[in-house]
Each structure stands twice: as C-alpha cells, then as structure tokens.
Amino acid sequence: MKIIVCGAGQVGGQIALRLSQEGHSVTVIDLDPDLIQRMTDRLDVSGVVGHAAHPDVQERAGAVDAEMLIAATQIDEVNMIACQVAHSEFNVPQKIARVRAKGYLENRWSDLFRRDHMPIDVIISPENEVAKVAVSRLRKPAAFDMSSYFDGAVSIVAITLPPDCAVLNTPLRQLTELFSTLSAQVLAVRREGRLQIADANDQLLAGDQIHVLSTAADLDRTIAIFVGERKAVRNVVLIGAGNVGLEVAELLEQTAPDIRLRMIERDRVRAEYAADRLNDAIMLNGDGLDADILEEARVGAAEAVITLTDDDRANLLSAALCKQAGCALTIALVKDTVLANLAERIGVDITLNPRATTVSTILRHVRRGRVRAVHVIGEGEAEIVEAQILSTSPIAGKRIRDAGFPDDSVVGAVLSDGKVKLPHGDLTINADDRVVVFVLSKRVREIEQMFRVSVEFF
C-alpha cells in the first residue's frame, strides 16, 4: 500500500516505522528538514520537506496514486486541510486525521467531517483514547495493560506475577485441569525482557509479565488467580486538569459515579474552568509536586493517583511522591519512552503513552482484511488483532491446526454465532467468525495476509 504520513513527530515517526517494516511504500512530509533527514536515514521511507496541506507538496509526495493519507502533525487545522486537499485534488481513498481540540469533536459538530464538507474518514483523538485507557486501568488495577475484543465479550490483560502468586512453577497445561471451569488462556510471557508466545510446557515464575485472555464473566476471577484479590478503587486523585485530565475526569463522572474524585491543577484559570465543567469533583489549585497540596488532596489515602500534566518528569516525580505517601496505585502519563523505562524503579505502577494508543488506533485502519481492532504491545514488539473472517479468506472453513498460523502467533479466542470459544486444534474457523490473534511484530504481515480477501473474490 502507498501511504503518505504527514508529520515526522513521535506519532508520525512511529507509524512510518511500523508501516515501512511491514513493506508498505511510505512517504513522510514535514516542515523540518532535519526530522526528514533522520527519518530517511533510519527508515526505509521517502521524505518530502514542506507544508503537509499544500497541494504541490502532496503532489511531490505521490498523492496522485496514494491509497491513504495519515495526517498526524501537531496542528489540528493542518491535519484537517491536508485531508481536504488529498480528497479534492488527488482523490486519495482513505484519509485519517489526528484532531485534539475538544471543540471540533463535540457531537453537535459531527456534520463538519461529512464527505461533502471536510472529508475525513477516520478522526483520531489522543486525549479521548488515553482517557479510555486510564479509566480501564482503574477498573482493573492489577493489570498494567488491558484491551477488549468481541464488543467487550473478552479482554486481554497484562499482569506482573507477584512472589506469592498461587500458580508459580505450574506448567500452563495444568492450569486448564486446575481451573476447568475458567474461560481463560495465557497467550504470551515476558521474562528477562524477552516477549514470547506461551508454550503449554512453560512454567510461570515470579516477576513474569503475562498476557492472559479471559471472557468478561471470568475476568475478575482470572486476575485473582494470578495476583490475588485487589481492593476496588473508590478514591482517586487526578493531577493536571488539561485536555487529558479533564477528559479522564468527565469520563469517570459518566461511567463510574461511585468514584470520589479530587483534582489538582496548577493554573487557577484552568482549575476554575475544569471545576465548572465537572459536577462532583473537588478541585484544588496548586502544584502536584507540593507536599502540602498532596497532603490536602489526601493522596496517601487514595486507592489511585493519576498524573496527567504536560510535563513527563513532573508526572513521574509526582506519582513517585504519592506512592511514598501511601497511595496504592500510581499511574503517570509519559510520552518519552526513555523516561517511561524509569517508572518502575521509582515506584510508579503504570505509565500511559498517548503515542502508543494513537498508533494502535491508526493501525486498525491500515490493516487489510476486515480488521476490527488492533492493540500494540510495548514499543511495537507485538500486536493483538481482532478480525472478521470473510468467506473468501484463505482460512475460512479450516481447522485451527490446518489454517497455517505462523510461529510466534497464537489464536486467543473465536467468536462464532455469538458464542466465545477458546481455541483448540480441531476448532473450525468459519466465514463471519471473529478471531483474536496475539502475534509478534515480525509475523504481523503473515497474519494480515490470512485475513485478506482472496484474489478469486474479484
């Protein structure tokens, strides 16, 4: 596929990296010649220096025969106009834009992005995506990563096994015998920094990070088996009432009214604005690194603190201070991967990366076949893909053992006739079934081909 990526920043750069690794023809547009030079030196991509919304720049980037344009610059208006130009001048079939300003995203302005107005096929809102991830972490505090599939019928959670885990040194194949009524499966294990697909003979060790799939009905029980019972989150402190912080607070008020929420915001005007937007949250005006403010917010008694300012360092330090004060769960918004790697050492339990969530959303629309969801693991080491099987797919009508799933991949679950089925070798995958696959990045292209429409369809 020929794809133009507008913006060579963190999101655009990561998207270009993933797509080029998978063999797509990628051209990156950016105003900064140094960024373009670094991209073309490091990746197998072409680069064009210029303004992404200018027709002549898009023409030089190959928009005449491009199949997709992904607009991921830092400026919403540039992204929107870039999509308009790609549609009006070059008839690019699919256009994806990152739009951050909440004013554009309100339901009453949804007509703005109709094909005959501002033709954008997919709008990605990093703030909204991060807010949903943050709220999901509060619902399942034992998991440091979580994603849902089959419209919420199954979830895959990432858990670090504690020293007192009840099933340590137990081969995975025995877990099925021990918990015969449990609808769950361990899909992958990270040990000593290496992520690998789980084997039936593997034994789990303390400190392992596992990715385990469970049906919604058994999710709480599954988590309890691996990490024990955890106290529900009721008292939450949010530090930072910017776009992300306010989005999280509003989502919590809508979906978790039983949570008691306190917020800390340094800027008085912004604090007053956020207080007016929220119904029940208690707003404190002050610095999230100020010990007196943290004490006033009672972070030591909170079940969770989420730091959501625009400063990665401040988020990590504030979360670490809250952990020292006695907070059970600390979550920090961290865009810088290098800084995120320090989180565990200083007592921060979970980091949120808006780039990773945005990239996952964009990849879902890039994948061929009827892909319904994509979740990127870590810095792109693996993906979880949910796809619907078309009648002309090469695996339709085949048993799992005969379908040719590559090494370094595993089928997590199949949704057939509305019923979730955990996989076994003799399970047949039929047309219209939906399948969840955990796959290491080097095999993603092979999995994508398995979900494609066969040539005979045409």
Side-chain angles (χ1 to χ4, degrees), residues 209-230:
Q209 294 181 343
I210 64 170
H211 296 265
V212 57
L213 177 143
S214 171
T215 59
D218 281 350
L219 184 56
D220 288 336
R221 183 182 167 208
T222 298
I223 294 174
I225 286 170
F226 290 108
V227 299
E229 297 289 345
R230 293 296 178 96

Side-chain angles (χ1 to χ4, degrees), residues 30-59:
D30 199 280
L31 280 168
D32 188 334
D34 292 334
L35 278 178
I36 290 295
Q37 185 67 52
R38 284 200 292 271
M39 291 280 286
T40 54
D41 287 347
R42 187 168 56 93
L43 308 177
D44 184 18
V45 302
S46 301
V48 173
V49 177
H51 196 292
H54 290 180
D56 62 317
V57 175
Q58 289 195 16
E59 184 178 46

Side-chain angles (χ1 to χ4, degrees), residues 35-97:
L35 278 178
I36 290 295
Q37 185 67 52
R38 284 200 292 271
M39 291 280 286
T40 54
D41 287 347
R42 187 168 56 93
L43 308 177
D44 184 18
V45 302
S46 301
V48 173
V49 177
H51 196 292
H54 290 180
D56 62 317
V57 175
Q58 289 195 16
E59 184 178 46
R60 283 191 284 130
V64 172
D65 56 354
E67 298 167 72
M68 179 181 291
L69 181 137
I70 301 170
T73 75
Q74 295 293 326
I75 303 173
D76 290 352
E77 291 74 18
V78 171
N79 295 337
M80 291 189 290
I81 296 173
C83 290
Q84 178 73 70
V85 170
H87 172 79
S88 302
E89 297 298 325
F90 304 107
N91 199 29
V92 175
Q94 190 166 22
K95 300 157 292 292
I96 299 174

Side-chain angles (χ1 to χ4, degrees), residues 23 34 62-63 76 80 111 160 230 297 310 317 363 372 382 433 435:
D34 292 334
D76 290 352
M80 291 189 290
D111 279 357
T160 300
R230 293 296 178 96
D310 290 330
L317 289 173
L363 285 177
R372 301 176 65 97
D433 285 356
V435 179

Side-chain angles (χ1 to χ4, degrees), residues 374-423:
V374 173
H375 182 71
V376 177
I377 302 298
E379 286 297 301
E381 299 160 279
E383 289 184 18
I384 304 170
V385 180
E386 177 193 341
Q388 185 171 354
I389 305 304
L390 302 172
S391 60
T392 54
S393 167
I395 64 174
K398 292 185 178 180
R399 297 183 302 174
I400 287 179
R401 71 168 78 255
D402 301 325
F405 285 96
D407 294 339
D408 296 320
S409 71
V410 59
V411 176
V414 176
L415 184 69
S416 182
D417 295 326
K419 297 179 180 178
V420 175
K421 299 178 180 180
L422 296 188

Side-chain angles (χ1 to χ4, degrees), residues 133-455:
V133 171
V135 172
S136 74
R137 299 296 182 275
L138 293 177
R139 289 176 178 148
K140 305 297 177 188
F144 65 85
D145 194 10
M146 177 177 173
S147 51
S148 296
Y149 306 92
F150 302 160
D151 302 317
V154 301
S155 293
I156 297 177
V157 293
I159 303 167
T160 300
L161 300 182
D164 60 349
C165 172
V167 293
L168 294 184
N169 304 312
T170 304
L172 292 180
R173 62 158 46 94
Q174 291 185 15
L175 293 182
T176 303
E177 300 169 10
L178 290 171
F179 306 100
S180 58
T181 62
L182 186 72
S183 296
Q185 178 187 5
V186 177
L187 303 180
V189 179
R190 186 193 300 279
R191 182 176 298 154
E192 296 179 352
R194 180 170 176 255
L195 182 68
Q196 58 188 14
I197 300 300
D199 183 271
N201 295 315
D202 285 342
Q203 295 184 11
L204 300 178
L205 305 177
D208 284 352
Q209 294 181 343
I210 64 170
H211 296 265
V212 57
L213 177 143
S214 171
T215 59
D218 281 350
L219 184 56
D220 288 336
R221 183 182 167 208
T222 298
I223 294 174
I225 286 170
F226 290 108
V227 299
E229 297 289 345
R230 293 296 178 96
K231 184 179 179 182
V233 172
R234 290 290 180 266
N235 293 291
V236 176
V237 176
L238 297 185
I239 298 177
N243 290 338
V244 179
L246 186 55
E247 190 83 28
V248 171
E250 289 179 332
L251 190 57
L252 282 175
E253 286 198 337
Q254 293 166 13
T255 63
D258 56 328
I259 286 181
R260 294 182 290 275
L261 184 63
R262 289 182 172 81
M263 295 189 72
I264 299 173
E265 169 55 44
R266 185 174 183 175
D267 182 89
R268 175 173 289 277
V269 174
R270 182 67 187 183
E272 292 174 350
Y273 171 78
D276 289 341
R277 292 286 298 265
L278 300 170
N279 297 319
D280 301 315
I282 296 174
M283 182 65 66
L284 301 174
N285 177 219
D287 192 330
L289 293 173
D290 186 315
D292 291 335
I293 286 291
L294 295 179
E295 184 176 359
E296 185 178 352
R298 300 206 296 274
V299 297
E303 280 93 31
V305 170
I306 312 179
T307 57
L308 299 166
T309 75
D310 290 330
D311 187 328
D312 286 356
R313 291 174 175 80
N315 289 339
L316 284 171
L317 289 173
S318 184
L321 288 173
C322 294
K323 192 71 173 181
Q324 288 182 348
C327 177
L329 177 69
T330 53
I331 303 173
L333 181 70
V334 184
K335 300 179 282 292
D336 189 313
T337 305
V338 175
L339 291 176
N341 291 333
L342 299 174
E344 186 176 354
R345 302 179 196 176
I346 63 174
V348 179
D349 298 300
I350 297 172
T351 58
L352 304 175
N353 186 337
R355 179 187 67 187
T357 56
T358 304
V359 169
S360 292
T361 306
I362 290 174
L363 285 177
R364 174 163 60 92
H365 300 281
V366 175
R367 295 280 176 258
R368 294 184 184 273
R370 193 162 295 178
V371 173
R372 301 176 65 97
V374 173
H375 182 71
V376 177
I377 302 298
E379 286 297 301
E381 299 160 279
E383 289 184 18
I384 304 170
V385 180
E386 177 193 341
Q388 185 171 354
I389 305 304
L390 302 172
S391 60
T392 54
S393 167
I395 64 174
K398 292 185 178 180
R399 297 183 302 174
I400 287 179
R401 71 168 78 255
D402 301 325
F405 285 96
D407 294 339
D408 296 320
S409 71
V410 59
V411 176
V414 176
L415 184 69
S416 182
D417 295 326
K419 297 179 180 178
V420 175
K421 299 178 180 180
L422 296 188
H424 55 79
D426 291 326
L427 179 64
T428 299
I429 300 174
N430 296 309
D432 293 326
D433 285 356
R434 287 155 65 180
V435 179
V436 171
V437 179
F438 190 108
V439 54
L440 299 190
S441 57
K442 60 186 176 183
R443 299 294 190 183
V444 165
R445 195 67 184 273
E446 295 173 55
I447 292 295
E448 185 182 15
Q449 291 301 310
M450 298 178 77
F451 296 144
R452 76 186 189 283
V453 177
S454 291
V455 174

